[in-house]
Amino acid sequence: MVLSPDDIHNKEFSTKLRGYNIDEVNDFLEQIIKDYQITLKQNKDLQERLDASEGKLKYFNELKDSLNQSILVAQEAADKVKTNSKKEADIITREAQKQASDIVSEATDKSNQMIDDASQKAKRLSVETDDLKKQTRVFRQRLQVMLESQLEVVKSKDWDQLLSETNTADYTEIQHVLKEDSLDNSGDASVNSEATVEITEATSGETPVADGGDQAPQQTVVIFPDDDNAAN
């Protein structure tokens, strides 16, 4: 049992002959009581400090355990995030590669289709150009033949003969008209111009008849080839 200052202060000793001096013993006990009180107080302070330290130590230990647990949880979460991120990155990469492949394939198909269309158009244009050239050559040949034929007609001597015969017919017609006028004025109905054959005007489109019964050359008609025949 731990003695208290009061126990020391109230302690009574029995007296014997030639014993210790009571005053000195009491003074010493008083000193012991003071020192003991100081020691108890220091012990109490140390105990309180020890308790506080132990409390702090317990808190820090708990904090350490909590931090360790948090670190473990964070590490696990980081590992999960890393794993999920890697999986998502792989998925995104595969999807991007697939989309890129689809885009490239679609672009290639479109470009090939455009090239095929352009090639077909070029072929059609080439064929049409060749056909047009053929038609142009045919038209040129026909036009050349026609112009050469017309030129031969123009250069023909029949034109000179026609002009010569036309002048003679006009002169004969004028004399015939004057003769009819003179007969009409004579009053003889048997020689009236109404009974005679009607004389064709020189300006009409009919063919004049000369004294010898020969007809003038026929009119030449220029016929241009139409597009349908030229195309064939």
Side-chain angles (χ1 to χ4, degrees):
M1 181 180 178
V2 180
L3 295 176
S4 64
D6 292 333
D7 293 335
I8 297 173
H9 184 272
N10 295 326
K11 179 63 179 178
E12 293 182 356
F13 297 96
S14 59
T15 58
K16 291 184 179 179
L17 183 63
R18 297 182 68 183
Y20 290 105
N21 187 344
I22 295 173
D23 293 333
E24 292 179 359
V25 171
N26 290 333
D27 293 337
F28 183 72
L29 290 174
E30 289 294 335
Q31 185 62 40
I32 290 175
I33 290 171
K34 291 178 181 180
D35 294 338
Y36 191 68
Q37 287 177 345
I38 293 173
T39 303
L40 289 176
K41 187 175 184 304
Q42 291 178 350
N43 188 23
K44 182 179 180 182
D45 292 337
L46 292 174
Q47 186 64 41
E48 291 177 354
R49 292 175 62 185
L50 178 61
D51 293 339
S53 298
E54 289 179 351
K56 290 181 180 181
L57 179 61
K58 182 179 180 181
Y59 170 76
F60 285 118
N61 288 330
E62 292 176 353
L63 181 61
K64 182 188 70 174
D65 294 337
S66 178
L67 289 175
N68 291 332
Q69 186 66 26
S70 299
I71 291 173
L72 292 176
V73 173
Q75 185 65 35
E76 293 177 357
D79 293 338
K80 290 182 179 179
V81 170
K82 183 178 179 180
T83 303
N84 294 332
S85 299
K86 185 177 180 181
K87 290 180 180 179
E88 292 179 357
D90 293 338
I91 293 173
I92 293 173
T93 302
R94 287 195 297 271
E95 291 180 353
Q97 291 177 351
K98 185 177 182 300
Q99 291 178 357
S101 178
D102 294 339
I103 292 173
V104 172
S105 177
E106 184 178 359
T108 303
D109 294 338
K110 288 184 178 180
S111 63
N112 291 333
Q113 184 64 34
M114 292 176 65
I115 292 173
D116 292 338
D117 294 339
S119 177
Q120 293 297 328
K121 290 181 179 179
K123 290 180 180 178
R124 288 197 299 270
L125 183 60
S126 178
V127 172
E128 293 175 358
T129 303
D130 293 337
D131 292 339
L132 183 58
K133 288 181 179 179
K134 291 179 181 178
Q135 294 176 10
T136 304
R137 285 194 293 268
V138 171
F139 176 77
R140 179 184 177 185
Q141 292 174 357
R142 291 183 178 180
L143 180 61
Q144 184 177 359
V145 171
M146 180 192 67
L147 292 177
E148 290 176 354
S149 175
Q150 297 300 323
L151 184 60
E152 292 294 331
V153 172
V154 171
K155 291 180 178 180
S156 175
K157 295 180 179 180
D158 294 339
W159 286 96
D160 298 333
Q161 184 179 359
L162 175 63
L163 293 175
S164 176
E165 291 176 354
T166 301
N167 293 331
T168 304
D170 290 341
Y171 178 74
T172 304
E173 183 179 358
I174 292 172
Q175 288 182 347
H176 190 226
V177 170
L178 292 175
K179 185 178 180 180
E180 286 182 353
D181 289 340
S182 62
L183 291 175
D184 291 339
N185 293 328
S186 65
D188 190 356
S190 61
V191 293
N192 194 289
S193 62
E194 294 180 356
T196 62
V197 180
E198 183 179 1
I199 300 175
T200 304
E201 294 181 359
T203 58
S204 65
E206 297 179 0
T207 304
V209 179
D211 294 339
D214 295 332
Q215 294 182 356
Q218 295 182 354
Q219 183 180 2
T220 302
V221 180
V222 179
I223 302 175
F224 290 94
D226 54 5
D227 294 337
D228 296 335
N229 294 330
N232 297 326

